[in-house]
Structure formats: structure tokens, C-alpha cells
Amino acid sequence: DIVMTQSPDSLAVSLGERATINCKSSQSVLYSSNNKNDLAWYQQKPGQPPKLLIYWASTRESGVPDRFSGSGSGTDFTLTITSLQAEDVAVYYCHQYNSAPFTFGPGTKVDIK
Amino acid sequence: QVQFVQSGAEVKKPAASVKVSCKASGYTFTSYAVHWVRQAPGQRPEWMGWINAGNGNTKYSQKLQGRVTITRDTSASIAYVELRSLTPEDTAVYYCARGKGAGGYDPFDCWGQGTLVTVSS
């Protein structure tokens, strides 16, 4: 199984500042047939299901604000929230869909400082 | 718009079975995969398996193999997950989620509201 890890476990950022979350997979999630990384990011607020933000490591889902961006390749990935807004308080999960069983990271909780 | 509506909360005793439903609307049901994901309190999501809603092919997590079955009713656009031999460790919110493509190896772009399954004696 591909093991996903994230850092930090939690972070507090001032409104309007940048938040950066890291994700690492235990093996590459690069799909050689299309040269895309099978890595997604989700946002989950209390009592709600996860919401897809980013897929293929850097493609923003339709309707997601452009302050959310993803980068990375192979085994190391980053989610960046530029100019944090109050509504961004949530837990963020990375997720690999390259190899079953599909697995998620442990989550990073983002709060306002 | 794409939407999933799941069945209501369940309370089960250990060793019992539970079957959760997920009704899809707003898209062609048979053109996409449906995944089941569960999330225990305070834990990360855990993928359980998926079904190709078109041809009915399934793939399950090895961890749950033998205890889980995913089916679908194409006439009603409903997917089901059944989990048998329940233990308290199966207490979680169970979600259905649509794969962004038909093949299963895609991110999950739309999720149901979740169904809380509680296993307790």
C-alpha cells in the first residue's frame, strides 16, 4: 500500500497570509502513460464530506478559488493557500489514486492565528 | 447539479450487517465509477472499494475483502455498500463518492452527505 504522510499536523496563519502544507507518498504516484501525478487535495470542514480542491497535483477543480494551488511531482507535493480567508479554516487531506488501495494522508488542520 | 443522497444513520450490534444506499442524480450514472469511503471519528478517510456503475465490475480494499460488497441498481441510479460481521472498529461515517472518470483511478469529485454507522452492544 502507498503510505501518505503530511506536515505539519496543524498550523495557524494570520488572515491574508500564506499557508503551506506538505504531503509525501511512500512511492511515486506518477502515472507514466500520461505523465501526470495521481495526487489530489481535499478540504473538509466539520460535519461535511471532503471537497475536491486539486487533482493531478496541480489542476484546480472547477469553482475552487485561485488562492489554492498545488505543486510537486513523484513523491513530494505541496498545497499552498495564498492570502488565507476565514472560510479556509478546515482540515486538508492529500490523496493518491494511483494504486489501489487508494490512500489518504492524516490531514493538516488550518486555523486562523 | 451532480448530487448524492445517502440513507440514514444506523445503529448495529456486533456481528450484524449493514447496507447503506447512495442515490445519484444530475449525471449519467453508468458513465462514472462510484467509490465508498469511510471515516472514523477524528481519523483520515479510508477507501473501501469502488464499482464501475456501467458494467458492475468491483474492486475492494484487501483489508475489507470478504466482508464488503458494493452493488448498484442502474434503473434507479443507486449504489450500495454492505458490510458484514461488524465490530465496534467499523463505527464511522460512510461516504459514497463519484470518481471523476469511469475507470476507478480518478479523484473523487462529488461526495454524498455521509451515513453514520454505529456498532455497539
Side-chain angles (χ1 to χ4, degrees):
Chain A
D1 297 4
I2 297 178
V3 177
M4 307 299 289
T5 56
Q6 290 181 231
S7 62
D9 295 336
S10 64
L11 74 162
V13 176
S14 300
L15 287 172
E17 297 300 305
R18 176 187 300 255
T20 302
I21 302 168
N22 300 299
C23 172
K24 182 181 279 285
S25 57
S26 61
Q27 60 194 72
S28 176
V29 297
L30 178 66
Y31 185 44
S32 55
S33 295
N34 61 10
N35 203 38
K36 292 181 185 290
N37 289 278
D38 294 332
L39 189 286
W41 289 96
Y42 298 84
Q43 174 193 69
Q44 187 175 33
K45 298 180 179 179
Q48 296 184 19
K51 173 189 173 184
L52 178 64
L53 299 176
I54 303 283
Y55 59 97
W56 290 336
S58 60
T59 300
R60 201 177 301 112
E61 175 71 335
S62 175
V64 172
D66 60 8
R67 63 180 180 272
F68 292 93
S69 64
S71 63
S73 183
T75 61
D76 292 275
F77 303 92
T78 300
L79 175 69
T80 301
I81 312 172
T82 56
S83 188
L84 190 80
Q85 304 299 302
E87 60 266 31
D88 301 335
V89 169
V91 178
Y92 293 82
Y93 295 97
C94 60
H95 163 226
Q96 69 81 17
Y97 48 93
N98 178 269
S99 171
F102 308 126
T103 47
F104 293 79
T108 295
K109 186 175 182 183
V110 174
D111 268 319
I112 304 296
K113 186 186 293 183
Chain B
Q1 75 283 18
V2 177
Q3 190 175 3
F4 288 119
V5 177
Q6 298 184 217
S7 49
E10 304 262 12
V11 179
K12 296 293 183 180
K13 293 200 182 301
S17 298
V18 68
K19 190 171 185 177
V20 178
S21 68
C22 167
K23 181 167 176 58
S25 61
Y27 73 99
T28 302
F29 180 69
T30 51
S31 295
Y32 293 83
V34 176
H35 296 258
W36 286 92
V37 177
R38 68 180 182 176
Q39 189 172 28
Q43 301 299 308
R44 72 183 78 184
E46 177 189 7
W47 177 78
M48 301 176 67
W50 70 276
I51 187 166
N52 180 318
N55 62 22
N57 287 348
T58 55
K59 189 173 183 67
Y60 301 117
S61 165
Q62 277 285 95
K63 176 183 174 183
L64 298 174
Q65 190 89 31
R67 287 207 299 138
V68 65
T69 302
I70 298 174
T71 56
R72 94 286 191 223
D73 177 347
T74 57
S75 66
S77 299
I78 300 176
Y80 301 91
V81 65
E82 181 179 30
L83 190 61
R84 300 174 291 280
S85 303
L86 292 168
T87 72
E89 287 66 46
D90 294 314
T91 294
V93 176
Y94 288 70
Y95 294 102
C96 59
R98 189 182 78 163
K100 206 166 171 60
Y105 291 80
D106 297 290
F108 308 156
D109 66 351
C110 181
W111 296 62
Q113 84 275 19
T115 297
L116 176 62
V117 174
T118 304
V119 183
S120 174
S121 54

